[in-house]
Amino acid sequence: MTVPAVPDDQRGTRLVLGALLGLYVLHLLNLRGQLPPGAAQGMADQAYVLLFVGSGVLTWVLAGRAAFPAPWRWMAGGTALWGLGQLVYAALDQADVQVTLADPLFLAYPACFLVAFMLVERRWPSLPGWAARLDVLAMVSAVSAFAWFFLLAAQAQREDVSRLDNVVTMLYPLSDLLLLALLLAQVWRGMTLRSSTLRRSLALLAAGMLAFVVADLGFVYLTLRGEYGDGVGWPDALWPLGALLLPAALSGSLAPPRAAPPRRAGPPTLVSLLAPYLSLVAAFSLLLLIPQGLPERGALLLTFLTALLVAARQTLAVRDLRVRTGELARSQAQVQAEALRDPLTGLGNRLKLNGSLDHALKVGGRVGLVMLDLDDFRFVNDALGHRAGDEFLRETARRVLAVTGTLPEVGQACCSRLGADEFVVLLRDTTAGTLMTLSERLRDALSQPVNFEGQELRLSASVGAALADPAQDAGAALRRVDLALAEVKRRGGNGAQLFDPARDDAAAARRVLLEARLRGALDRDELTLHYQPMLDADGQVRRAEALLRWTDPELGAVSPAEFVPVAEDAGFMPQVDLWVIARACSQLRAWRDAGVTWQVSVNVTPPLLLRPEFVSWLAAQLTAHELRPGDLELEVTERVLVASGERLREPLAALRVLGVDTALDDFGVGQSSLSSLLHLPIRTLKIDRAFVRVLDCPAEAQRGAQIVGAIVALGRALGLRVVAEGVETDAQAQAVWALGVSTVQGFWFARPAAAGNLPPGLTGPRSSDLQRHAPGARGGGVLP
């Protein structure tokens, strides 16, 4: 029990304690018969009662200055009532074992102490856990066995006294056992107190309680044996000692209750480890006192040895359980940490990001996201293998952490890896300016080369950033930053973009509407084909490109640049490609019947080319329309071809066997892979309009001409036809003719139109008017 402090001025208290000690000495002298008869002996008889009452009164007074007086006053009251009981007992002059009016006063002592310790236990629990509680119960149980064997059993079987007298007499040792349990609990507390003063005071209180318990048990024992003669015995020396130690325990300089630290389960002490075994040994020792023969003693000894081994085994099991529980807890914590970590880079994974983002949105504040994607990262894996790709990703993670950690205005950040080459940085309490600063620094850091086994790798990064709307959930916040990143990708990558709600929310809504309307466009017959003729160097028109157009009743005419990416993302572009090929074959058949022998080029996407049944379906279409395979040419963009070259090798080879030509569109802007030209059956290179557009720009014409000339030379070396796309002016036309292209395509020569709206001269087998557009012609213009 933790004892509160009392004032430092204790002179009066010490005087009273000294007087009580003098009464106690006088009482001891009287017990030993060392006082002369007369007044001194009479005073000694009164000293016994005064000692109890004085101790109770002093404790009550001191308790008034304590931080928690209630328990002490209960104990003070119990002590004083015991003294009054002794006064009543002496006045009745009854030495035999009979119920008297003094018994309720005597029994008030353990009852008051029980109430006091219940108050203390409620406020400051004395036992740290069930293990300590069980140890105390085991020790009390062992003592109870001795009490029963030597006292209670004999008292319960007495027939020379009334049942009431038996019950009252047995209440004393039973209450003493209860006090013993409280005493042991306080001893447990005393072993953990940090203050030596507190421990000393608690020891005094425990000693006083122990004196009472021993005196009560001794009284019953001596009475049963008829050795408590004339109402005097050695217990009479212990009862007043217990009363005297109570105010002594309270009067010391003790710390307030809060000085006692909260009980925590710590490593087991030697006492706590030995306590169960000491109780077991005590109980076994009692059994050996029972008269029995050699067989019984041998069986009892082996039984005790078995119980001791089982107890030891259980102790080891508990210890192992604690160790395993600790290991399991550490293992679970490690598993939970690994579940939130990307194994390759050590950053958080998608699960970690989602949890952190949910928490940040719930807490509030300006939550920002920065998402970056390495442009054309697949080329690292394709060229150097996945080991180089993994090292590149680890280096990217290190640079993301370094940049994020060195930006003062970033604050607390959570870096995660979402996909193969996609990373996200989560920022709390940030601004749009901070997001863009971080985005630009990340882009610059990732543009620096990476050395791998003597080779220098260099890639660019596309970075999108967005501030989350406080009313949004994690999914909506991620969609915002994903839209910003997609916008950078659509512009060619290697840039940074901040999400603009006014613009990008409208774009997202427009995209959803386009997808919904586009799904029914084929059924509503809203798709059409326009054809753009191409002019060869000899002035002949031998081919045209089929271009898809969509006019929606609600949206009007929608640009292919807008709806084709939507169809690709939605996954129904292959169905559109099949419709385009079938419609182009029908138009080719109509032109054949009219005497026009053009070849038609059709754009197709990889998902259609990779379908196993595509080539056989295409052959069936050509047969059904009575067309030659050479009448149709399929175009794939350079970026798509490089990304899926290995997978497209087989279907393109099958097309070549069938006799269908293949063209590489937008050549020069998709990080060209020259090996694709060597291994894939390509017949035509179409120079991207970005290189043609600069040919009439004085600042860039020379460099543009050099690039176009190099592509033409490459095409000639490989025996390929080279087409210049996007020719719109006379200067551009004269330049590409001079550089040696095979064919031109663009508004300078002819705009795309429906088959029925093409100029009559273009639909015949030959047109002399086209000669003015051929190389060497000085005139030119755009045909309607």
Side-chain angles (χ1 to χ4, degrees):
M1 187 185 76
T2 305
V3 187
V6 296
D8 293 335
D9 185 9
Q10 297 182 350
R11 180 176 301 178
T13 301
R14 291 172 182 172
L15 290 176
V16 176
L17 280 175
L20 293 175
L21 181 59
L23 292 175
Y24 180 64
V25 171
L26 186 62
H27 171 67
L28 291 179
L29 292 175
N30 186 40
L31 287 179
R32 295 177 61 87
Q34 296 179 357
L35 291 178
Q41 191 172 16
M43 184 182 296
D45 292 336
Q46 298 299 323
Y48 187 77
V49 176
L50 290 176
L51 182 57
F52 279 94
V53 176
S55 295
V57 172
L58 179 58
T59 303
W60 185 282
V61 173
L62 293 177
R65 289 177 283 173
F68 189 33
W72 292 101
R73 284 180 171 167
W74 276 98
M75 289 185 286
T79 303
L81 289 173
W82 179 278
L84 294 177
Q86 183 63 35
L87 183 62
V88 173
Y89 183 79
L92 294 175
D93 193 20
Q94 295 179 346
D96 56 347
V97 184
Q98 298 289 333
V99 177
T100 68
L101 294 177
D103 288 297
L105 298 175
F106 289 145
L107 291 173
Y109 177 88
C112 290
F113 269 69
L114 176 61
V115 173
F117 280 104
M118 287 178 62
L119 294 174
V120 174
E121 192 71 19
R122 180 182 301 176
R123 196 162 188 174
W124 302 294
S126 59
L127 298 177
W130 277 108
R133 296 187 184 101
L134 291 175
D135 288 342
V136 169
L137 290 176
M139 288 185 282
V140 172
S141 176
V143 175
S144 299
F146 279 88
W148 173 259
F149 183 76
F150 290 105
L151 300 176
L152 299 181
Q155 180 65 41
Q157 297 177 20
R158 289 187 63 178
E159 297 180 353
D160 57 331
V161 295
S162 65
R163 180 174 299 179
L164 177 61
D165 188 66
N166 261 342
V167 171
V168 173
T169 304
M170 292 179 65
L171 283 176
Y172 287 97
L174 290 176
S175 63
D176 291 334
L177 292 176
L178 183 58
L179 287 180
L180 178 62
L182 297 174
L183 174 63
L184 291 174
Q186 296 312 310
V187 170
W188 238 257
R189 177 196 295 276
M191 291 189 299
T192 61
L193 293 177
R194 297 178 180 176
S195 170
S196 59
T197 304
L198 286 174
R199 290 196 298 269
R200 183 169 55 253
S201 298
L202 185 57
L204 290 174
L205 178 61
M209 294 172 59
L210 183 61
F212 256 92
V213 171
V214 174
D216 277 352
L217 295 176
F219 170 75
V220 176
Y221 178 76
L222 294 175
T223 301
L224 287 173
R225 296 172 62 90
E227 297 177 2
Y228 192 71
D230 298 328
V232 178
W234 60 262
D236 293 282
L238 295 181
W239 279 316
L241 177 61
L244 180 62
L245 291 176
L246 179 62
L250 180 57
S251 64
S253 299
L254 305 175
R258 60 178 177 273
R263 294 292 292 116
R264 295 181 180 177
T269 63
L270 180 62
V271 175
S272 64
L273 289 175
L274 295 179
Y277 299 100
L278 293 176
S279 302
L280 189 61
V281 170
F284 174 72
S285 301
L286 177 62
L287 293 178
L288 291 179
L289 297 177
I290 301 175
Q292 49 195 324
L294 183 61
E296 291 81 3
R297 287 180 178 273
L300 182 61
L301 180 61
L302 292 176
T303 301
F304 171 73
L305 180 60
T306 303
L308 196 62
L309 293 175
V310 171
R313 176 64 184 87
Q314 290 302 105
T315 300
L316 293 177
V318 171
R319 187 190 65 181
D320 292 343
L321 180 60
R322 287 180 178 177
V323 173
R324 292 177 182 177
T325 301
E327 293 176 350
L328 179 60
R330 290 190 295 270
S331 177
Q332 289 177 341
Q334 183 177 1
V335 169
Q336 290 176 353
E338 291 294 329
L340 300 176
R341 189 175 69 91
D342 174 55
L344 178 63
T345 63
L347 301 180
N349 56 15
R350 184 180 295 273
L351 185 61
K352 171 68 173 179
L353 174 65
N354 290 338
S356 300
L357 183 54
D358 285 334
H359 176 72
L361 292 174
K362 289 178 182 178
V363 171
R366 300 289 286 175
V367 179
L369 292 170
V370 175
M371 180 181 291
L372 62 93
D373 183 88
L374 299 176
D375 298 328
D376 301 311
F377 172 72
R378 65 182 66 89
F379 297 121
V380 177
N381 287 332
D382 293 343
L384 301 177
H386 288 279
R387 192 164 67 90
D390 290 346
E391 180 57 35
F392 198 98
L393 291 174
R394 282 191 286 267
E395 177 61 25
T396 299
R398 286 191 285 267
R399 294 186 183 186
V400 169
L401 288 174
V403 172
T404 304
T406 56
L407 196 64
E409 58 268 32
V410 164
Q412 187 178 8
C414 173
C415 301
S416 305
R417 178 187 175 216
L418 291 192
D421 59 341
E422 195 171 64
F423 298 81
V424 174
V425 179
L426 167 66
L427 305 179
R428 298 180 178 88
D429 298 324
T430 188
T431 63
T434 299
L435 290 179
M436 284 307 298
T437 300
L438 178 60
S439 299
E440 292 293 346
R441 293 194 182 185
L442 287 173
R443 188 175 66 86
D444 293 342
L446 296 177
S447 65
Q448 301 303 313
V450 176
N451 292 318
F452 178 76
E453 295 182 352
Q455 300 189 60
E456 188 176 272
L457 306 178
R458 187 188 296 269
L459 290 179
S460 61
S462 300
V463 186
L467 281 172
D469 189 327
Q472 289 181 325
D473 58 10
L478 286 171
R479 280 194 295 273
R480 280 192 165 192
V481 71
D482 193 54
L483 286 173
L485 178 62
E487 178 62 25
V488 178
K489 285 290 191 181
R490 280 193 290 271
R491 295 201 305 261
N494 193 22
Q497 175 72 46
L498 180 67
F499 178 85
D500 183 357
R503 179 195 67 227
D504 295 323
D505 281 344
R510 168 80 173 179
R511 190 177 183 88
V512 172
L513 178 61
L514 286 176
E515 181 177 338
R517 297 294 301 171
L518 190 57
R519 289 185 181 276
L522 284 175
D523 296 334
R524 295 190 299 268
D525 198 23
E526 296 170 0
L527 299 179
T528 58
L529 288 183
H530 284 196
Y531 298 88
Q532 186 174 35
M534 306 178 198
L535 180 65
D536 287 343
D538 60 1
Q540 295 291 325
V541 176
R542 296 184 175 89
R543 56 192 54 83
E545 182 177 358
L547 302 172
L548 183 62
R549 296 292 183 263
W550 176 34
T551 302
D552 183 83
E554 296 182 7
L555 304 177
V558 184
S559 169
E562 185 178 16
F563 73 79
V564 168
V566 174
E568 290 177 345
D569 292 343
F572 52 84
M573 197 60 201
Q575 289 85 344
V576 175
D577 287 342
L578 292 175
W579 179 88
V580 170
I581 294 173
R583 184 61 59 92
C585 288
S586 296
Q587 184 59 52
L588 276 171
R589 182 67 264 161
W591 278 336
R592 291 297 179 270
D593 293 341
V596 178
T597 58
W598 288 357
Q599 182 188 60
V600 172
S601 298
V602 177
N603 285 279
V604 291
T605 53
L608 179 61
L609 290 174
L610 293 173
R611 287 188 176 184
E613 71 279 4
F614 170 67
V615 175
S616 59
W617 176 89
L618 180 61
Q621 286 291 318
L622 295 172
T623 301
H625 292 88
E626 299 179 356
L627 299 174
R628 296 171 303 167
D631 294 339
L632 194 66
E633 183 179 58
L634 301 183
E635 293 186 11
V636 293
T637 63
E638 182 197 24
R639 183 181 294 271
V640 167
L641 185 62
V642 174
S644 308
E646 290 300 321
R647 293 185 298 159
L648 290 178
R649 183 191 299 265
E650 184 176 345
L652 291 180
L655 289 174
R656 183 171 187 175
V657 172
L658 180 63
V660 176
D661 291 338
T662 304
L664 186 57
D665 198 11
D666 300 333
F667 185 78
V669 295
Q671 295 198 1
S672 308
S673 174
L674 300 183
S675 62
S676 299
L677 302 180
L678 292 175
H679 301 297
L680 298 178
I682 304 298
R683 291 292 304 274
T684 303
L685 288 182
K686 301 187 74 173
I687 303 174
D688 188 82
R689 64 185 67 245
F691 302 114
V692 175
R693 186 183 303 119
V694 301
L695 292 178
D696 58 358
C697 177
E700 301 180 68
Q702 182 177 1
R703 180 167 295 183
Q706 291 173 342
I707 294 175
V708 172
I711 296 175
V712 171
L714 175 65
R716 286 179 177 175
L718 297 176
L720 304 178
R721 181 171 58 250
V722 180
V723 179
E725 292 186 290
V727 179
E728 297 182 354
T729 66
D730 285 339
Q732 293 171 1
Q734 295 300 328
V736 296
W737 287 131
L739 291 170
V741 300
S742 307
T743 306
V744 297
Q745 178 183 353
F747 290 175
W748 170 80
F749 174 61
R751 293 179 177 274
N757 295 331
L758 290 173
L762 294 179
T763 56
R766 191 175 176 85
S767 174
S768 59
D769 185 56
L770 297 179
Q771 296 294 331
R772 64 190 181 96
H773 298 291
R778 297 299 180 188
V782 177
L783 295 182

